Amino acid sequence: MKSKFTFSYNPAYYPPAPFVDIVLVTPTEPLRTSVLHAFVDSGADGTIVPIRYLEAIQAPATQEKFIRSQWRERYRVMLFLVDVQIGDITLPGIEVVGDEISEEVVLGRNVLNRLRVVLDGRKDLIEVSD
C-alpha cells in the first residue's frame, strides 16, 4: 500500500506556499534531525539545507560543487549525503546542498521527482505519496 501525507500551505507567505515536514537521517549513523518544515520548490534543481542541521547529524560530505542562484550568481557549496523521510516514506542517498547563509530548508526536484506531489492551491494543501 502506498503512503500518502497531506500538509497545509504556510500562510506566513503571500501567496501561501507549500511546505512539507521532513526528517533528515545520516545513512551511516542513527542520527536524525527533528522535524524540519521544508519549502516545496519545483523550480529548484536540488534540495538545500542549513548547514547547522547537517553538522548536527554528522552528515557525510560528498563533494564540492558550484551552484547558481535564480539571479545567476555562482556559489561554491558542499554537498552532503542524507536519507530524507516524509512520514514513513524514506528516500535514501539524497545529496543536499549545505547552506551556510539561509535558515530555510528547500525541497527541490532531486527529491520531488521521486514522489507523487499534488498541489491543491484552492484548498491550500499539498499531498505527497510514494
Side-chain angles (χ1 to χ4, degrees), residues 47-49 54 78-82 84 94-98 110:
T47 296
I48 304 170
V49 177
L54 300 167
M78 186 60 70
L79 298 183
F80 295 84
L81 191 66
V82 295
V84 176
I94 304 289
E95 280 190 312
V96 300
V97 173
N110 67 323

Side-chain angles (χ1 to χ4, degrees), residues 4-47:
K4 180 167 63 171
F5 301 93
T6 302
F7 302 91
S8 297
Y9 278 31
N10 185 337
Y13 287 74
Y14 182 80
F19 274 73
V20 298
D21 292 340
I22 68 169
V23 173
L24 303 177
V25 181
T26 305
T28 57
E29 301 286 334
L31 300 174
R32 60 183 48 243
T33 65
S34 58
V35 174
L36 304 174
H37 305 292
F39 177 76
V40 174
D41 186 353
S42 64
D45 297 335
T47 296

